[in-house]
């Protein structure tokens, strides 16, 4: 059955392999069979007050990286969030059935407050409302995302259900977070703890060259070797195995797991293998990024074409919501 599949990425910097393996790759695999929407969340990126000088360039960079990764404008609707003004209008309406208490309890909000106490803006608080709007405005059922977005998806379901109950309608489907054939993934950073993030300085980017990737992987934090066969694996080493599991063949993973168990593992060898396997995936993408990034005409035609299609779908949903809520033309 054809599903409506939607996903997005903020335009806050180059894409890393966490974005690729967490969201993008799953989405790309679904393009042939489904109605797919993929967009650049430039409004979401405004919570961190990006420099206007770089704002547009960042969007172009992410767009080129999307296309280079395999998103196909003939198969998927590819657009920039702010080029679909219906999103901002539905967001205003959705804020009326989202409660401050539940937004304050969101883990991502609490984490932002802790990390950036001087910039706790209202956009940050209502971030999940805007994200739910992105999803519900196209009535998406499947949303390929990484593990970090699971709670946001749960909130999108709550908002959909609440609207349906409030107005006694079956209007919005309840969307679910999705990973192609597996659990939602969290790609860890190379610094030993936490997830790979755009602003954490712990990532491998799709635009990195081979030398940079090898250098970063060889420097990744490990430990001094397995203490004994039964001791739990330390977090940094577990993290390397998680990335290996994502990029390498299962025999390779098994080989290093066995070496670890027998206490014979040489982290240097494992890292070399890991760097090789990451390069196999990302270097062809890097080549295409360099090609596409300079092609302004192609980039601009792609998003204009995408925005037209996204607006057609969004305006239909928005009109439906307004009719249900009692708006009438004068
Ligand atoms: P963003 O830009 O932080 O990340 C984009 C996508 O990449 C995934 N991701 C990861 N997956 C696994 N491991 C990691 N280390 C990792 N880091 C990032 C994220 O889970 C995400 O799927 N709020 C969203 C953007 C957004 C959106 C939406 C997504 C706005 N509206 C509607 C889906 C649907 C965000 O900040 O993603």
């Amino acid at each position: 059955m054809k599903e409506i599949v939607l996903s997005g990425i903020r335009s806050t910097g180059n894409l890393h392999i966490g974005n690729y393996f967490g969201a993008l790759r799953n989405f790309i695999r679904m393009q042939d069979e489904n109605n797919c929407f993929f967009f650049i969340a430039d409004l979401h990126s405004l919570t961190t007050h990006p420099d206007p000088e770089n704002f547009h360039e960042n969007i172009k960079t992410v767009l080129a990286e999307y296309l280079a990764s395999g998103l196909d404008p003939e198969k998927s609707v590819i657009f920039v969030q702010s080029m679909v003004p219906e999103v901002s209008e539905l967001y205003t309406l959705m804020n009326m059935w989202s409660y401050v208490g539940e937004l304050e309890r969101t883990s991502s909000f609490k984490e932002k407050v802790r990390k950036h106490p001087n910039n706790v803006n209202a956009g940050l608080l209502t971030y999940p409302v805007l994200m739910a709007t992105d999803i519900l405005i196209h009535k998406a059922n499947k949303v390929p995302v990484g593990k970090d977005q699971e709670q946001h998806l749960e909130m999108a379901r709550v908002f959909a259900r609440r609207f349906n109950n409030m107005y006694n309608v079956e209007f919005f489907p309840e969307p679910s977070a999705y990973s192609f054939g597996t659990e939602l993934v969290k790609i860890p950073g190379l610094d030993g703890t936490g997830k790979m993030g755009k602003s954490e300085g712990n990532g491998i980017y799709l635009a990195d060259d081979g030398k940079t990737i090898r250098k970063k992987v060889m420097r990744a934090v490990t430990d001094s070797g397995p203490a004994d066969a039964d001791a739990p694996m330390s977090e940094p080493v577990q993290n390397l195995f998680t990335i290996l599991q994502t990029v390498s063949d299962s025999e390779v993973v098994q080989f290093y797991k066995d070496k670890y168990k027998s206490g014979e593992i040489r982290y240097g060898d494992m890292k070399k293998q890991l760097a090789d396997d990451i390069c196999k995936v990302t270097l062809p993408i890097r080549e295409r990024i360099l090609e596409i990034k300079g092609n302004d005409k192609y980039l601009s035609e792609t998003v204009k074409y995408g925005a037209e299609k996204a607006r057609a779908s969004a305006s239909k949903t928005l009109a439906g919501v307004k009719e249900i809520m009692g708006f009438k033309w004068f």
Side-chain angles (χ1 to χ4, degrees):
M1 195 188 83
K2 268 197 177 184
E3 306 269 10
I4 300 181
V5 181
L6 173 140
S7 198
I9 295 189
R10 273 172 306 149
S11 50
T12 39
N14 295 79
L15 300 186
H16 51 66
I17 59 168
N19 299 133
Y20 181 75
F21 289 110
L24 207 44
R25 186 179 61 163
N26 291 316
F27 183 89
I28 288 164
R29 286 172 171 175
M30 301 178 81
Q31 279 187 123
D32 288 324
E33 315 277 316
N34 301 286
N35 290 332
C36 289
F37 294 84
F38 210 102
F39 72 100
I40 297 171
D42 58 339
L43 297 176
H44 277 107
S45 81
L46 292 171
T47 57
T48 54
H49 305 158
D51 184 345
E53 289 274 325
N54 310 330
F55 186 63
H56 184 69
E57 204 51 35
N58 285 345
I59 296 171
K60 265 173 56 181
T61 301
V62 176
L63 175 63
E65 295 186 351
Y66 266 5
L67 296 166
S69 299
L71 282 190
D72 182 345
E74 296 300 325
K75 295 180 187 162
S76 294
V77 179
I78 301 171
F79 63 102
V80 178
Q81 190 183 31
S82 63
M83 288 172 78
V84 181
E86 289 78 10
V87 168
S88 298
E89 190 174 347
L90 183 59
Y91 167 57
T92 304
L93 302 179
M94 292 231 338
N95 271 311
M96 310 308 162
W97 71 87
S98 318
Y99 295 103
V100 172
E102 65 191 339
L103 297 173
E104 281 174 338
R105 285 193 296 276
T106 316
S107 327
S108 55
F109 177 69
K110 288 199 283 196
E111 191 188 320
K112 290 279 179 329
V113 171
R114 193 167 44 77
K115 281 196 179 160
H116 310 285
N118 297 324
N119 182 25
V120 185
N121 58 64
L124 216 49
L125 182 71
T126 57
Y127 188 106
V129 184
L130 181 55
M131 185 160 156
T133 306
D134 293 327
I135 299 167
L136 299 181
I137 205 160
H138 298 292
K139 297 194 170 180
N141 345 73
K142 291 244 174 342
V143 188
V145 283
K147 182 107 187 123
D148 58 319
Q149 299 295 326
E150 204 170 22
Q151 190 181 27
H152 289 156
L153 259 293
E154 173 58 29
M155 294 177 82
R157 277 196 289 281
V158 168
F159 299 148
R161 206 175 307 142
R162 194 174 288 153
F163 178 85
N164 289 346
N165 289 341
M166 212 171 198
Y167 294 99
N168 202 15
V169 289
E170 292 269 336
F171 187 74
F172 287 125
E174 291 186 23
S176 52
Y178 187 75
S179 173
F180 200 88
T182 54
E183 304 261 294
L184 300 188
V185 299
K186 176 183 126 179
I187 302 294
L190 298 173
D191 48 356
T193 113
K195 70 162 182 161
M196 190 173 284
K198 284 183 192 137
S199 47
E200 320 296 331
N202 64 1
I204 291 177
Y205 296 93
L206 297 181
D208 279 345
D209 59 28
K211 204 168 146 210
T212 308
I213 292 175
R214 283 175 220 282
K215 213 151 99 194
K216 284 181 177 175
V217 174
M218 293 316 282
R219 280 205 205 125
V221 177
T222 49
D223 57 24
S224 56
D228 64 72
D230 301 323
M233 211 183 257
S234 68
E235 194 184 346
V237 174
Q238 229 170 46
N239 288 348
L240 286 187
F241 270 105
T242 303
I243 306 180
L244 195 73
Q245 237 151 5
T246 313
V247 297
S248 304
D249 293 338
S250 53
E251 303 88 70
V252 171
V253 179
Q254 198 52 50
F255 175 81
Y256 285 103
K257 276 196 172 156
D258 292 344
K259 289 272 174 211
Y260 181 89
K261 262 202 190 135
S262 62
E264 294 170 304
I265 192 156
R266 298 206 328 217
Y267 292 137
D269 291 348
M270 174 167 154
K271 284 177 171 179
K272 266 196 205 121
Q273 175 80 47
L274 181 59
D276 282 348
D277 290 344
I278 293 174
C279 284
K280 255 189 232 155
V281 180
T282 60
L283 294 188
I285 298 179
R286 173 186 151 81
E287 252 177 56
R288 287 195 295 273
I289 293 174
L290 297 175
E291 247 173 63
I292 295 174
K293 209 170 162 211
N295 194 343
D296 274 349
K297 187 164 174 273
Y298 175 57
L299 294 179
S300 129
E301 278 172 7
T302 300
V303 285
K304 280 188 192 146
Y305 179 63
E308 241 175 68
K309 293 210 233 168
R311 287 197 71 179
S313 151
S315 56
K316 219 166 120 195
T317 308
L318 179 63
V321 169
K322 289 173 82 171
E323 191 188 334
I324 291 167
M325 291 178 83
F327 283 87
K328 285 199 170 61
W329 290 111
F330 279 97

